[in-house]
Amino acid sequence: MKVYVSSLAFALALSSCAKRPDAIVPADIPMAAYTNLSCEQLGQEMIREQTALAAVSKQQHDAATGDAFGVFLVGVPMSSTFGGDKEGQVSVAKGKVQAIQSALLAKGCNGPSSRK
């Protein structure tokens, strides 16, 4: 019985660990939120969102690494337990980047530095 309870506790600890940023699915952000912007504005917004995504992805990666060590050493996902998990923020940032990319394509913009 003790083995069963220990196994269950370990499985629960692992399941509550922070995900790696590349395993997080983008949020569904409508492209319509960006269609009123010019190509130049879309390019600027893309750079801003990619920078934000990189920053929050690094925080999420650090949280996932901290959780792995925490579970290994003390059996508790430390980063997730103490608010280090940024999964929602990574998801939204990824969704915004995808929406901006879609808006850039729909408008026929060449890229982040396009002017139309």
Side-chain angles (χ1 to χ4, degrees):
M1 183 67 171
K2 287 182 182 181
V3 173
Y4 175 74
V5 172
S6 296
S7 298
L8 181 61
F10 186 71
L12 287 173
L14 284 178
S15 68
S16 63
C17 289
K19 291 182 183 177
R20 296 279 174 197
D22 57 342
I24 298 173
V25 177
D28 188 22
I29 307 291
M31 176 183 72
Y34 298 99
T35 54
N36 63 332
L37 300 177
S38 69
C39 287
E40 182 178 3
Q41 290 170 321
L42 284 169
Q44 292 169 352
E45 191 67 21
M46 175 65 90
I47 292 167
R48 191 172 21 260
E49 287 303 328
Q50 286 176 328
T51 302
L53 175 58
V56 75
S57 290
K58 182 185 180 325
Q59 292 173 354
Q60 182 67 16
H61 182 271
D62 293 347
T65 301
D67 279 356
F69 283 121
V71 168
F72 179 73
L73 295 175
V74 293
V76 177
M78 301 302 286
S79 295
S80 293
T81 303
F82 296 108
D85 193 355
K86 306 289 185 198
E87 183 175 349
Q89 293 173 10
V90 171
S91 179
V92 169
K94 282 183 169 186
K96 286 181 178 180
V97 168
Q98 283 187 347
I100 294 167
Q101 287 172 337
S102 296
L104 283 165
L105 286 173
K107 287 186 167 246
C109 303
N110 293 327
S113 62
S114 294
R115 292 176 190 232
K116 239 186 184 182

